[in-house]
Amino acid sequence: MSTALVTGATAGIGRAFARRLAAEGYDLVLVARDSERLASLAEYLGDRYGTVAERLPADLTRDEELAEVERRLGDATRPIDLLVNNAGFGTSGAFWDTDPETLRQQVDLNVTAVLRLTRAVVPVMRDFGRGDVINLSSVAGFFAMSGSTYSATKAYVTTFSEGLSAALADTGVRVMALCPGFTRTEFHQRAQLEMSSLPKAFWLDADTLVHEALRDLRRGRTVSIPGAQYKAVVALGKLIPNRLQRFVVSHAAPGRT
Ligand SMILES: NC(=O)c1ccc[n+]([C@@H]2O[C@H](COP(=O)([O-])OP(=O)(O)OC[C@H]3O[C@@H](n4cnc5c(N)ncnc54)[C@H](OP(=O)(O)O)[C@@H]3O)[C@@H](O)[C@H]2O)c1
């Protein structure tokens, strides 16, 4: 029996991963802050799929709580086969108007937690000669979006995952950056981003995205960009000069100022 640990499992993409992995027969360790939502998800997965679902409530921006999750990942007597570093958040408004504490928490969650949880699990996976890590990045990580640290955190996640994947070649441990575009979840509401102008064709569905991501992981991809529309956006972005790219992004991306 394989076990997956999913951070941010109570909503959106993380919840879709938890459901899909449970359906595939994984046992789960579910991490998020909201204990009630964790309990109801664990109960649902147990009833629906017979999943053994461990709950690990933690705010990953708090050092001691992050350390608890690190300890769980480093416990070789209960090895984790798949780590999904999914928890993350965005913000709206200008950088200079955003509470510095919010920005610190964003870097703590989107970057530091990904780094530390990966660092905790990789040695165990290397010892066993197998294991997978999926780090949630974003299409935003390929573009210098104005006014927000969000794309910078995601650029880190993609580059970190690609480099680590290369370093782990031939060890049996795979690392993949998952780079979705706009996906219908609680993300935009939490960030207070106004999304009504986004054309329907650009919305991704979390379940479909997770299906594509797991398929890409199993094909040995290092970077997964779900959806033909976003594969095209990223490919096009690489072809145009940086100055033009910054102009287009700052005028086209909804929500962020
Ligand atoms: N939705 C999109 O358009 C989109 C696009 C590209 C990339 N992404 C990335 O995909 C990932 C998942 O986003 P989503 O869209 O599924 O967002 P979401 O619906 O808002 O879910 C976020 C999850 O993270 C958890 N979380 C938030 N802060 C946390 C903290 N401090 N400690 C532990 N858990 C925390 C939340 O649960 P609690 O509140 O219970 O803690 C929730 O389970 C993020 O990394 C995001 O950047 C999203």
Side-chain angles (χ1 to χ4, degrees), residues 22 25 39 50 55 113 150 187 191 227:
R55 290 167 279 149
Y150 181 75
F187 180 93

Side-chain angles (χ1 to χ4, degrees), residues 142-166:
F142 294 105
F143 300 97
M145 317 282 273
S146 61
S148 165
T149 56
Y150 181 75
S151 27
T153 66
K154 295 303 183 181
Y156 171 90
V157 173
T158 303
T159 306
F160 164 66
S161 305
E162 286 188 274
L164 185 59
S165 165

Side-chain angles (χ1 to χ4, degrees), residues 9-136:
T10 50
I13 297 169
R15 188 180 164 86
F17 263 110
R19 273 206 318 264
R20 171 79 193 193
L21 293 167
E24 290 188 3
Y26 278 81
D27 284 339
L28 285 161
V29 183
L30 307 169
V31 180
R33 291 167 301 181
D34 188 327
S35 305
E36 277 177 29
R37 285 182 98 179
L38 281 175
S40 77
L41 177 61
E43 192 183 331
Y44 166 77
L45 297 175
D47 291 349
R48 178 89 167 75
Y49 305 106
T51 309
V52 177
E54 208 179 307
R55 290 167 279 149
L56 196 40
D59 181 338
L60 299 173
T61 68
R62 297 196 176 163
D63 203 55
E64 236 338 284
E65 297 177 35
L66 178 61
E68 269 299 309
V69 185
E70 286 178 308
R71 279 191 282 277
R72 178 64 187 84
L73 287 164
D75 182 352
T77 64
R78 297 182 297 159
I80 299 294
D81 302 277
L82 168 62
L83 165 64
V84 185
N85 270 316
N86 164 77
F89 73 92
T91 55
S92 53
F95 170 74
W96 51 89
D97 291 330
T98 310
D99 178 5
E101 177 58 15
T102 303
L103 295 171
R104 185 188 66 78
Q105 285 177 1
Q106 187 178 47
V107 175
D108 285 352
L109 185 62
N110 295 12
V111 174
T112 308
V114 173
L115 166 77
R116 282 185 45 182
L117 298 183
T118 305
R119 175 65 183 81
V121 82
V122 162
V124 184
M125 289 180 170
R126 284 193 70 222
D127 286 349
F128 279 96
R130 67 187 167 85
D132 296 317
V133 178
I134 298 177
N135 290 328
L136 255 292

